[in-house]
């Protein structure tokens, strides 16, 4: 029996069978997010021909802000971009697209992209597809306008601004950044002015602040959003996010973290895992306890490293919605 199969059996027989959330965690972690940007979006949307919603491809079937559909999209063409495709496997994409369209018939197209890659075929296909959808749709009061206007929406930290900058650089060959990009959620804080990205045809994009789901009723969805860094780590706490991520990796047979962090076998307890990561990497400090000098692991630094390692794809390309997918045997 291979060691992976041995580990799977170990997880099945001796690890946590399900994730137990702390008492009151729903109330404390996901109290409901302010919708400050929505009203501004609604005011701007009258001048918009098409909606491009950007989402994290690691959570393709969960965590989207469905209120966009009611407040922003309306009858306009609505494309869904699943960004950060470099962090997920290539299998299941057809199944994901079909499932999204079945559950949300308003979606005109679903496209996987890597916004950080200047030659990404998905990113390059966005404008031609948007133009085709706009020309095939009824533009109502904008029918006489020579320009085409596209709004970019989505939850925080999914790469909206990065994609806008790629499109601008590709079509206008302009360097620099037209809109701010950051590694933390909430960099774009207000609806931006229109950004011209093409002269022929004349196309404008409108960047918007990330707006999270107004109510996270499913705790697993909330924690997946946190694992993907679409919520501020400090709101929930990195140690809790690490604990959920470790449970998910073990429960779904993703054991690349074992070799990456030089462990002997999978670990079920996140406190033990972070201690081993810290000791193996030398993230320690010396303290005197009852007159005796002891070496203590830096759990906070280890938690940051564990999350960063997952978020950068170094311990595997992983969907966090596997329970909703038919996943090939690894």
């Amino acid at each position: 029996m291979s060691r992976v199969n041995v580990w799977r059996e170990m997880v099945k027989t001796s690890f946590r069978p399900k994730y137990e959330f702390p008492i009151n965690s729903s109330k404390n972690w996901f109290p409901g997010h302010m919708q400050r940007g929505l009203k501004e979006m609604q005011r701007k949307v009258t001048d918009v021909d098409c909606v491009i919603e950007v989402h994290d491809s690691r959570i393709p079937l969960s965590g989207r802000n469905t209120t966009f559909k009611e407040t922003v999209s309306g009858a306009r063409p609505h494309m869904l971009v699943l960004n950060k495709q470099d962090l997920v496997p290539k299998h299941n994409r057809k199944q994901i697209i079909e499932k999204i369209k079945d559950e949300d018939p308003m979606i005109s197209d679903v496209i996987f992209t890597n916004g950080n890659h200047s030659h990404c075929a998905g990113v390059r296909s966005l404008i031609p597809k948007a133009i085709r959808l706009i020309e095939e749709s009824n533009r109502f009061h904008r029918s006489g306008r020579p320009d085409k206007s596209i709004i970019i929406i989505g939850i925080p930290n999914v790469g909206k601004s990065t994609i806008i900058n790629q499109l601008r650089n590709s079509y206008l060959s302009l360097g620099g950044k037209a809109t701010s990009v950051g590694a933390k959620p909430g960099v774009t804080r207000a609806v931006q002015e229109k950004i011209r990205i093409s002269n022929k045809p004349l196309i404008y994009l409108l960047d918007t602040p990330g707006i999270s789901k107004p109510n996270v009723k499913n705790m697993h969805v909330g924690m997946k959003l946190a694992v993907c860094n679409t919520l501020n780590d400090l709101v929930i706490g990195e140690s809790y996010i690490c604990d959920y991520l470790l449970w998910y990796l073990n429960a779904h047979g993703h054991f690349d973290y074992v070799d990456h962090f030089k462990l002997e076998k999978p670990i079920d307890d996140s406190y033990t895992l972070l201690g081993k990561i810290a000791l193996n990497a030398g993230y320690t400090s010396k303290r005197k306890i009852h007159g005796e000098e002891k070496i203590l692991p830096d759990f906070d630094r280890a938690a940051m490293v564990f999350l960063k390692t997952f978020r950068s794809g170094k311990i595997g390309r992983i969907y966090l919605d596997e329970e909703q997918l038919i996943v090939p045997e690894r």
Side-chain angles (χ1 to χ4, degrees), residues 89-242:
K90 290 184 178 178
H91 59 250
N92 289 103
R93 293 190 183 180
K94 187 178 177 184
Q95 181 192 160
I96 287 167
I97 291 169
E98 288 173 355
K99 199 168 177 65
I100 289 169
K101 287 187 172 181
D102 283 345
E103 293 176 3
D104 189 352
M106 294 294 290
I107 296 293
S108 310
D109 206 346
V110 180
I111 301 148
F112 281 84
T113 65
N114 177 1
N116 288 319
H117 199 297
S118 59
H119 299 294
C120 171
V123 173
R124 287 179 174 270
S125 74
L126 290 179
I127 298 306
K129 287 184 176 183
I131 291 171
R132 177 178 56 78
L133 288 169
I134 291 168
E135 289 176 346
E136 290 174 357
S137 68
N138 189 337
R139 296 180 76 196
F140 302 104
H141 58 288
R142 283 183 53 80
S143 58
R145 294 284 295 270
D147 63 301
K148 292 176 175 62
S149 186
I150 302 167
I151 194 168
I152 309 288
I153 62 173
I155 63 173
N157 207 30
V158 290
K160 298 182 297 295
S161 298
T162 303
I163 285 176
I164 287 177
N165 289 328
Q166 287 287 10
L167 292 171
R168 177 175 172 266
N169 295 341
S170 295
Y171 281 85
L172 292 180
S173 301
L174 296 174
K177 295 176 180 177
T179 183
S180 300
V181 175
K184 293 185 178 179
V187 171
T188 304
R189 300 194 178 274
V191 178
Q192 308 281 345
E193 291 305 310
K194 286 183 177 180
I195 300 163
R196 179 172 52 90
I197 64 146
S198 171
N199 288 324
K200 291 182 181 180
L202 184 58
I203 300 173
Y204 292 96
L205 292 186
L206 195 62
D207 193 15
T208 61
I211 299 177
S212 299
K213 286 173 70 71
N215 295 297
V216 178
K217 294 176 183 175
N218 184 316
M219 289 293 293
H220 286 280
V221 170
M223 291 307 287
K224 289 174 187 180
L225 289 167
V227 167
C228 291
N229 201 23
T230 71
L231 302 174
N232 192 317
D233 287 345
L234 299 179
V235 173
I236 295 168
E238 289 170 335
S239 61
Y240 286 116
I241 302 171
C242 286

